Amino acid sequence: MMSSKDMTMSNSAARWEIDILEAQQPDVWLPKGDFLANHEYIVRGLLKEAWNRWHSQAMTISSPLLHHHMQLLDAEGGLLIESAIGDDLPNTGTEAILAPLNSRRSTGCIARLKLASADKTESFLLPLLEAAALTMQEMYDHAYDLLIVRQMMNQQQIIDKEARGRDYLFQAAKRLHDQNDVYSVLHVLLDDVEVMYPGAKVNLYLSQDFVYSDSRVKPLLLRHTNDDLNANAFLTGKPVTADEDGGGIKLAIPLRGNQAVYGVLSLSLQQRWDEFEHRSMVMLVDTAGSAFENAKLYEQSNLLISELQLINELTKRLNQSLRLNEVFDFALTELMTIFKADYCHLLQISNDGSNFQIMASNVPMTDTESYSTSTGFGGIVIRTKEPLIISDYWSTRVVDSKLMDASGARSLIAAPVMAGSAVVGVIMVSHQSPNFFSYENYKLLQVLSTHIGLAVSNASLHAEVRRMVITDNLTGLHARHYLNEQIHLRQRKDRCGSLVLVDIDHFKRVNDTFGHLIGDQILVAVSDVIRNCIRDTDIAARWGGEELAVYLPQIRTGQAYRIAERIRSTVEGQTDPTVTVSCGISEWSFDEEKISVESLFYRADMALYEAKKNGRNRICVG
């Protein structure tokens, strides 16, 4: 069953169709005031109609006037009509009798009856002629009144039709403005037009790149020809009409808003078209253009809000971590989710600026492979400092890209990661399908890369500050507090470990003999020896003054002794001036009942004291 809304719409459409048929009738003159000379064609018609009616009635009663030659003259004496009876009467010796016709709506004479009589004694003819004139005058006034009533009724029908049309337009405009997405606006517009003109061919040509499944919505192609109504309507922003073969009409109305013209509604129908219909259709399409523009602005505002929310959330989550690897990993995950990408690469420029280092990627890559900053899409981004978008890498192939070739991707958007005015990295987001990323994706990545760059800069600065805090400025070894923290953490999860304290023998004598600058060089040289003699997982620190310390996780005393011996012998052989070192070793194991950093250092310190007391340049185990 039809809903009340559908029935109302159907009834309105039916009335609209009837009104269209009525509107196709030609306009009829509605007289205002009396008939004057400028209305001569109407006066003549009414007078002839009154004559014919009187003549018919006179014949039924066999009026004596019919036996005479009679004429109906207009106000200026011109002949309107005359009777055929009495044509055989002699023209000589006849006398004309005149009787005026005066309308009740006019003060002057509108016509005269003329009768030709050969007998002057027929005095009864004048009263009969005057009576005929009065009768004809009444018939004239009656016809006049009927004409006025018909015209008033027709005018009222036109007024009623326009009122119903305005009501239908109001309802259509309300339906259009009730929609908040462009698909619904176009659907309502096309359906309303087809309801108003069931037999018409309706198409909507849009100038924008708009994907819509309705076959009535098509792209607008500007051919720049004079006979292209759609192009002319779009370029001029005004409706254009043209006659078609078979008496039809084609109308092109621009779909325009306050900001731009978005397309053209094309309407072809095989019927006449009046001014009211033309105005109504233009108003309907103008309303649809405003609704379309509002829906576009609504969608764009929602998109902007969602992007701002996305940027805000991403920024907050990026700033929650100050570890550089966590920032890169989180950015990788979020970028792939936001852009629905297949692959993502975050590249950082090396310190010398010659190569890229892959900081995060979901494509398996060998860390040893070199990616030059002068080639590929990354090189383009670095040189231009601008983002780029590639619709189909396989068909265009502007440059050769190792990352694109390795992943098999075809679509790409890339943006630089900036630190101030310098490029420190590149973000590359790719997909295996061509033409996958939109211009909005391109702009969004440009915004996101700025916030990712800030997060990377903050994490890098934090890492640098932390390195400075835990690092001795002279030797480059770790600070004492960092060593204490690391031993404490290791004692929670390791099963054993060893500590080696290294003291430079007679270091005060070196300072006094060669100066403190040479003394500092000796400290640096011994620190370099220690770094070269231990593993990457071992922790070397400056304990204080000329004392250095090395913590060896998961190492027992025997192996720690060999490492300490390697340090001692290397220092003695490679320093200039030559210096020696004494070493004290202590260890801990999980089997001990009481484990502490203090006890470990105490035992190593006591062993170092024994090594010094026994002649220096030796190693003792505590």
Side-chain angles (χ1 to χ4, degrees):
M1 293 180 64
M2 294 178 63
S3 64
S4 59
K5 181 178 180 181
D6 294 335
M7 292 179 65
T8 302
M9 183 175 179
S10 178
N11 294 334
S12 300
R15 290 198 303 269
W16 180 272
E17 189 173 358
I18 294 172
D19 292 339
I20 291 172
L21 295 176
E22 293 178 354
Q24 294 169 1
Q25 302 302 321
D27 293 336
V28 183
W29 173 83
L30 180 60
K32 298 179 181 179
D34 298 331
F35 291 126
L36 301 176
N38 57 339
H39 307 141
E40 181 179 354
Y41 68 100
I42 296 180
V43 173
R44 286 174 175 269
L46 294 178
L47 288 172
K48 289 179 180 179
E49 181 183 350
W51 167 276
N52 292 330
R53 290 179 61 190
W54 172 82
H55 194 271
S56 298
Q57 293 181 7
M59 290 181 65
T60 60
I61 63 174
S62 300
S63 173
L65 296 176
L66 299 179
H67 298 288
H68 299 272
H69 186 247
M70 295 183 62
Q71 294 177 333
L72 179 62
L73 308 177
D74 60 19
E76 286 76 22
L79 178 64
L80 294 177
I81 194 169
E82 61 183 342
S83 63
I85 300 175
D87 288 345
D88 296 334
L89 294 174
N91 293 327
T92 60
T94 59
E95 184 177 347
I97 303 174
L98 297 175
L101 273 72
N102 299 310
S103 172
R104 67 174 180 268
R105 298 178 177 272
S106 176
T107 57
C109 176
I110 62 172
R112 290 178 176 86
L113 276 178
K114 180 179 180 182
L115 182 142
S117 174
D119 190 354
K120 298 181 180 180
T121 61
E122 296 179 345
S123 58
F124 66 93
L125 292 177
L126 179 58
L128 288 178
L129 188 63
E130 291 176 347
L134 289 174
T135 302
M136 202 176 299
Q137 176 181 310
E138 291 296 329
M139 292 177 178
Y140 170 85
D141 288 338
H142 182 262
Y144 179 96
D145 292 339
L146 288 178
L147 177 62
I148 295 296
V149 171
R150 284 197 301 269
Q151 298 308 313
M152 291 178 65
M153 292 179 63
N154 187 45
Q155 191 72 14
Q156 186 61 42
Q157 289 176 354
I158 294 175
I159 293 173
D160 293 342
K161 181 206 70 170
E162 293 185 355
R164 289 195 297 270
R166 285 191 294 269
D167 180 67
Y168 187 84
L169 286 175
F170 174 78
Q171 297 298 330
K174 187 176 183 300
R175 286 192 297 272
L176 285 169
H177 283 294
D178 283 343
Q179 315 305 319
N180 55 9
D181 66 274
V182 292
Y183 298 98
S184 300
V185 170
L186 299 181
H187 183 73
V188 169
L189 171 63
L190 294 171
D191 286 352
D192 281 349
V193 174
E194 287 189 344
V195 168
M196 292 163 58
Y197 302 97
K201 181 181 179 182
V202 183
N203 287 302
L204 181 62
Y205 297 90
L206 291 180
S207 61
Q208 298 179 331
D209 185 11
F210 188 74
V211 180
Y212 192 37
S213 59
D214 197 324
S215 60
R216 299 171 295 181
V217 180
K218 301 175 181 178
L220 176 64
L221 303 176
L222 300 178
R223 302 183 181 90
H224 298 286
T225 57
N226 294 329
D227 57 349
D228 188 350
L229 265 66
N230 298 327
N232 291 336
F234 178 80
L235 295 174
T236 61
K238 298 179 180 179
V240 181
T241 58
D243 295 331
E244 290 187 322
D245 297 337
I249 187 172
K250 185 174 182 181
L251 180 65
I253 304 177
L255 182 72
R256 58 191 174 188
N258 294 326
Q259 298 181 350
V261 178
Y262 301 99
V264 175
L265 178 72
S266 176
L267 183 66
S268 299
L269 63 163
Q270 295 295 323
Q271 60 188 45
R272 287 177 294 177
W273 191 269
D274 67 8
E275 183 64 25
F276 175 73
E277 289 177 288
H278 187 277
R279 292 198 312 268
S280 300
M281 185 57 62
V282 172
M283 289 174 59
L284 179 62
V285 179
D286 283 346
T287 304
S290 298
F292 181 87
E293 185 174 77
N294 292 338
K296 290 285 289 182
L297 293 175
Y298 179 78
E299 288 185 354
Q300 291 174 0
S301 63
N302 284 341
L303 179 62
L304 181 59
I305 291 172
S306 62
E307 287 183 357
L308 291 175
Q309 291 174 341
L310 175 66
I311 294 170
N312 181 55
E313 185 65 24
L314 180 67
T315 303
K316 287 195 302 184
R317 296 188 62 182
L318 282 172
N319 292 330
Q320 285 177 356
S321 175
L322 290 174
R323 295 183 180 276
L324 198 57
N325 59 335
E326 292 181 359
V327 171
F328 280 114
D329 291 340
F330 173 74
L332 173 73
T333 304
E334 288 300 307
L335 289 173
M336 292 190 62
T337 302
I338 292 170
F339 296 107
K340 298 179 176 58
D342 289 334
Y343 310 106
C344 183
H345 318 282
L346 279 80
L347 312 177
Q348 190 175 25
I349 302 176
S350 61
N351 293 331
D352 59 3
S354 62
N355 294 308
F356 283 121
Q357 180 182 359
I358 299 179
M359 303 304 297
S361 174
N362 66 326
V363 178
M365 297 287 179
T366 56
D367 297 335
T368 58
E369 189 171 358
S370 175
Y371 297 94
S372 174
T373 55
S374 61
T375 60
F377 292 115
I380 295 177
V381 173
I382 290 177
R383 288 193 301 272
T384 62
K385 296 185 180 181
E386 295 290 339
L388 61 84
I389 179 170
I390 301 297
S391 299
D392 191 353
Y393 170 69
W394 292 2
S395 62
T396 56
R397 206 172 186 89
V398 179
V399 295
D400 292 331
S401 172
K402 293 182 179 179
L403 295 177
M404 295 290 284
D405 291 335
S407 61
R410 299 182 66 173
S411 300
L412 170 72
I413 49 176
V417 179
M418 307 293 293
S421 60
V423 181
V424 296
V426 176
I427 299 173
M428 300 177 65
V429 182
S430 56
H431 196 278
Q432 289 185 331
S433 302
N435 306 304
F436 182 79
F437 300 110
S438 65
Y439 184 67
E440 284 72 19
N441 297 146
Y442 166 82
K443 293 189 295 183
L444 180 59
L445 179 62
Q446 185 176 9
V447 176
L448 294 180
S449 66
T450 302
H451 294 276
I452 293 174
L454 290 174
V456 170
S457 298
N458 292 337
S460 300
L461 290 174
H462 180 268
E464 180 63 20
V465 170
R466 187 171 183 274
R467 186 196 65 80
M468 294 174 64
V469 170
I470 65 174
T471 303
D472 178 65
N473 188 45
L474 176 63
T475 62
L477 301 179
H478 292 295
R480 177 175 178 174
H481 68 87
Y482 178 77
L483 180 63
N484 291 343
E485 293 173 1
Q486 291 300 312
I487 295 175
H488 184 71
L489 292 175
R490 290 287 184 173
Q491 286 182 336
R492 292 182 178 180
K493 58 182 181 179
D494 294 345
R495 299 192 61 85
C496 63
S498 298
L499 177 67
V500 179
L501 289 182
V502 180
D503 183 79
I504 301 175
D505 297 330
H506 303 295
F507 186 69
K508 185 177 182 300
R509 185 184 304 171
V510 173
N511 284 332
D512 293 341
T513 305
F514 301 99
H516 288 279
L517 181 61
I518 299 300
D520 290 343
Q521 294 177 358
I522 292 295
L523 268 174
V524 173
V526 173
S527 300
D528 292 340
V529 169
I530 292 176
R531 266 193 296 266
N532 294 329
C533 292
I534 61 177
R535 305 168 298 176
D536 293 337
T537 55
D538 299 333
I539 304 170
R542 185 176 181 183
W543 180 250
E546 71 275 14
E547 292 182 340
L548 310 174
V550 181
Y551 178 72
L552 308 171
Q554 303 284 17
I555 295 295
R556 301 303 296 262
T557 303
Q559 190 173 357
Y561 188 90
R562 291 191 291 272
I563 295 173
E565 176 58 28
R566 185 162 62 247
I567 293 173
R568 187 202 64 80
S569 60
T570 304
V571 168
E572 186 177 11
Q574 294 185 1
T575 54
D576 183 22
T578 302
V579 295
T580 60
V581 295
S582 300
C583 301
I585 301 175
S586 66
E587 72 167 2
W588 69 273
S589 68
F590 193 72
D591 299 333
E592 296 183 34
E593 294 183 0
K594 187 176 181 180
I595 304 172
S596 68
V597 177
E598 291 77 9
S599 62
L600 186 65
F601 272 100
Y602 177 77
R603 292 199 297 265
D605 193 37
M606 290 298 100
L608 178 61
Y609 177 76
E610 288 295 326
K612 287 182 171 292
K613 187 174 69 173
N614 293 329
R616 294 182 173 83
N617 195 19
R618 65 187 65 244
I619 303 168
C620 290
V621 179

